[in-house]
Amino acid sequence: MADSNKTAKLTIDGKDYELPIHTPTAGPDVLDIRKLYAQAGVFTYDPGYTSTASCDSTITFIDGDEGVLLHRGYPIDQLAGKSHYLEVCYLLLYGELPSPAELEDFEHRVTNHTMLHEQMLNFFRGFRRDAHPMAVMVGVVGAMSAFYHDSTDINDPWQREVASIRLIAKMPTIAAMAYKYTIGQPFEYPRNDLDYASNFLRMCFAVPAEEYVVNPILSRAMDRIFTLHADHEQNASTSTVRLASSSGANPFACIAAGVACLWGPAHGGANQACLEMLKEIGTPDRIPEFIARAKDKNDPFRLMGFGHRVYKNHDPRATVMKESADEVLELLGIENNPVLQVAKELEKQALEDPYFAEKKLFPNVDFYSGIILEAMGFPTSMFTPIFALSRTVGWVSQWKEMIGDPQNKIGRPRQLYLGETARDYVDIENR
């Protein structure tokens, strides 16, 4: 906990209460209200917890007004431009960038945990063939606790470490198998001679009938998508993981809870919603019509993939993602893909429109990641599973940090009760 050298005075019914103010290393000061109920008999009211710090953390910092995203102090654009996903995983998990030997050891440990227990394949076959891949992932990730009993004791540091590596290593295999199952193709097992992103692409797109070679440009773009989504502070799914963890639940159950929360269209489904919007627009000649609708306050239509709830200036991840989008589109071509034609023209017209510049509604990471995934051949139903795969390391890092926090206690939000007061039961014949 940050040192408290300032206080605030709160007056309730004429009585003053001194509340500590904690000053973080970055970001706004935090008013400590933990003793407020005991002292004054009142709760605070904050729907969505948008003004409440639920924990202290050293992992990720966001300044939405300035468009800043730092992982352990390192700017996201530097990490995405100079590093790669597994190195960022190491940074998030352990707090520092690895030495060459540490990175080699970490990559080796992850690579050797990519296979699933063979009996887990029966779980996939128990789903309907048209099941959403996220439904499959929620079930399979939660079921990992039934197979890996040697890494469920959260009080054992070694078991926490093993669970962390297993989750990061096996999530691409689970996501790829969920995809293969929904399209009726045989599962592709992981290959230990491929890097993390290339292995995932191969498990998704290879078939036993022919050799599959991963294009390095696509692999690099995939790795950047993983990196840019690795962690994002105390968002809905991360808070869900922490809340589930606070009860002492095993790590696989906690991460499954995060996957379930991420499934929501307001969270992990944003890039899917963006692609669905592009398909609704249909052709480039209809873009002015939809831009006009987006400007109309009385029209419910909104341009998905523009602006961000947190970033009020620009999304620092979007610049890097746009570079990857341009590389992928140049490699694959968009002449025969109407959705990508609409996306490129919408981006051009929106950036040239003063309305969007004034409102700071620039394309965000979801807009560009959706374009890349569409160009690679992923259906929109796979966008959120890929997000879950990417975010697993963030969830695991936050989970590990919380388990090791001496202030950790079970989450118990309060409420502003507006229901009926006590009343007597009335027998059914008298109602």
Side-chain angles (χ1 to χ4, degrees), residues 314-357:
H314 71 282
D315 186 338
R317 303 167 297 173
T319 303
V320 181
M321 194 67 84
K322 176 174 167 49
E323 294 175 2
S324 289
D326 291 339
E327 291 172 359
V328 170
L329 296 183
E330 182 180 354
L331 172 69
L332 300 177
I334 63 170
E335 293 79 13
N336 298 320
N337 191 318
V339 174
L340 298 179
Q341 288 179 334
V342 171
K344 293 292 285 184
E345 184 60 27
L346 177 60
E347 175 193 22
K348 178 176 179 293
Q349 292 191 29
L351 289 175
E352 293 174 350
D353 194 309
Y355 174 86
F356 293 97

Side-chain angles (χ1 to χ4, degrees), residues 111 114-116 173 177 188-192 199 202-203:
T111 300
T114 52
M115 289 185 64
L116 296 183
T173 309
M177 287 184 170
E188 285 287 335
Y189 287 84
R191 286 249 306 261
N192 288 358
N199 200 18
R202 183 187 173 279
M203 287 190 290

Side-chain angles (χ1 to χ4, degrees), residues 62-68 232-233 307-314:
I62 297 172
D63 186 333
D65 293 334
E66 297 298 324
V68 171
H232 210 239
E233 210 210 71
H308 195 278
R309 185 170 178 269
V310 173
Y311 301 109
K312 306 306 179 187
N313 189 332
H314 71 282

Side-chain angles (χ1 to χ4, degrees), residues 280-294:
E280 180 185 359
I281 294 174
T283 55
D285 60 285
R286 297 188 65 199
I287 289 175
E289 169 196 342
F290 282 87
I291 286 182
R293 289 181 60 189

Side-chain angles (χ1 to χ4, degrees), residues 7-21:
T7 60
K9 182 186 292 185
L10 177 65
T11 303
I12 302 175
D13 294 333
K15 186 175 180 179
D16 294 336
Y17 300 91
E18 294 287 335
L19 300 175
I21 296 177

Side-chain angles (χ1 to χ4, degrees), residues 85-86 89-90 92-94 106 109-110 113 144 148 150-154 156-172 196 250-252 255 389 392-401 403:
Y85 182 67
L86 282 186
C89 287
Y90 186 99
L92 292 172
L93 283 170
Y94 305 116
F106 180 71
R109 286 188 288 143
V110 170
H113 275 291
M144 288 177 70
Y148 302 107
D150 60 342
S151 55
T152 57
D153 183 356
I154 64 172
D156 183 340
W158 175 247
Q159 291 199 32
R160 295 202 299 267
E161 177 70 13
V162 173
S164 301
I165 296 298
R166 279 179 170 154
L167 281 160
I168 294 167
K170 298 181 190 304
M171 198 64 80
Y196 195 85
N250 72 74
F252 307 110
I255 302 306
L389 185 173
T392 296
V393 67
W395 292 332
V396 168
S397 300
Q398 300 275 350
W399 168 77
K400 285 186 68 179
E401 182 179 66
I403 295 297

